[in-house]
Amino acid sequence: RAETTDVLNHCNPHDASSNPETTHLVIGYVQSGKTMSFTGLTALAKDNGYRVVIYLAGTKNNLLDQTSKRLRKDLIGKNGANNDFYKIHPNPTTSDLDDIVGNLESIDEPIVLLPILKHYDHILKVKEIVENSEFVEMMQNETVLIIDDEADQASLNSYGRKNSKNGEDEKSRTYDAILKLRAALPGNTYIQYTATPQANILISMQDILSPKSHTLLTPGEGYIGGKLFFGKGPEGALYRGGLIKKIPQEQVFHKKDNPLTDMPQSLKDALMLHILAVAIVVKWQRVEGVNFLSMMVHPDNTKQWNRVFKDWIVNELNIWRKLMRKPDDHMDKVDLYARFETLFPKAIEYYEVDERPSFDDIKPYIPEVLKNKKVYLVNTDADAETEIQWDDYKMHILVGAEMLNRGFTVENLATTYMPRYSKGATNADTIEQRCRFFGYKKDYIKSCR
């Protein structure tokens, strides 16, 4: 509450369109609740008289959908309980102008929320709306809040380095569209949310997107971050970095350096550890509020290789599921259970001795998990599966790259298989954003890998 108030304190008041526009930076850890923060900021803005909030909700449709659904769920609530106070128009165009103006005219004085894709075309369509005479008349002295989610991605001028070397003033299209949108909104406040603010901090202070102030977000209780996972600092001593398992070098996929022809053993073992995690946490322990666990596989940035990995996983899981039907003395079934049993000590090594199940306790749940699972290809194409009903299955496995790279929340993520790596140190912030396995996982951290 205090941090949300601090963010709003750095914004122009709602009725101060004569003020110079300003930019504020909000920094939070990866998967620590930044969406909740700007949802809370929206509610506080409503209480303090603001009428319009624009959200640059990421560069991918799955991020736009995720933001729109979160705003609707957290602010409007079930059965439209708060529908009089919040009006959401995702990716609006001038054809939505009548509805938006109608909302602004309403006696209920709702706040109008416009989540849009972070793409110059969609940004310029909103610019058309806010420049319309009807909109201008309704807003008069009102300012607008612009919330930029993942503000270090796509928003900044990608020609900045080139311009500084050559003395030019070239602008990337999304950056230019943001400048034009801001120019059309007197006294606007531009609020940048990110976990990796290096680029935002290091751009020229003369740049209109350079922040004038900042707020640091404190993660809530139950947040697990890099120090614990990678064995650094006092938190790291708890598991001594053992939650991280290194993929053997010869099994680290790379489309040029190591284009694998078969599913690597490390991926099979990761799948088995994930199945054991679901069996232990969801089925045996029945941890309250943890009704499923998810796995993320992030192999490469190309759709073709993502499909290969997805096919490997689907085929392997189907083989295992069918083997479970065989007689107990069937050699392949015996070998499969033997491999699970070999990995089992690794699955329970961080549980206290008195809370550890035996393999015989967990064994009956393995076929049940295999019957209650779904594998998704999270790509930016027609056959991608980005609509995930988390509560429908006990085990989810998401295979993808750029759409899982940043921003997207993989619910109850327990197992991450990531052979993808970068050769250049300049990608440090991107690598940090790939750590979707950070987050609120205290309830099942002992089964995270």
Side-chain angles (χ1 to χ4, degrees), residues 210-224:
S210 176
K212 307 297 181 283
S213 52
H214 73 272
T215 301
L216 289 171
L217 300 179
T218 309
E221 275 189 47
Y223 179 78
I224 304 295

Side-chain angles (χ1 to χ4, degrees), residues 89-155:
H89 301 272
N91 265 349
T93 65
T94 49
S95 63
D96 299 296
L97 180 65
D98 286 347
D99 291 341
I100 291 169
V101 169
N103 296 156
L104 293 172
E105 282 183 312
S106 171
I107 194 170
D108 294 320
E109 295 190 342
I111 189 167
V112 175
L113 314 180
L114 307 178
I116 63 173
L117 204 61
K118 196 189 296 189
H119 182 277
Y120 67 91
D121 187 41
H122 294 279
I123 297 168
L124 292 176
K125 283 174 181 171
V126 173
K127 173 181 168 284
E128 281 186 63
I129 293 170
V130 303
E131 286 180 329
N132 184 277
S133 57
E134 275 197 277
F135 183 92
V136 172
E137 183 184 348
M138 288 306 308
M139 290 294 284
Q140 291 186 2
N141 193 38
E142 295 291 333
T143 65
V144 168
L145 301 181
I146 303 171
I147 293 174
D148 186 350
D149 194 15
E150 305 296 342
D152 60 310
Q153 185 187 38
S155 306

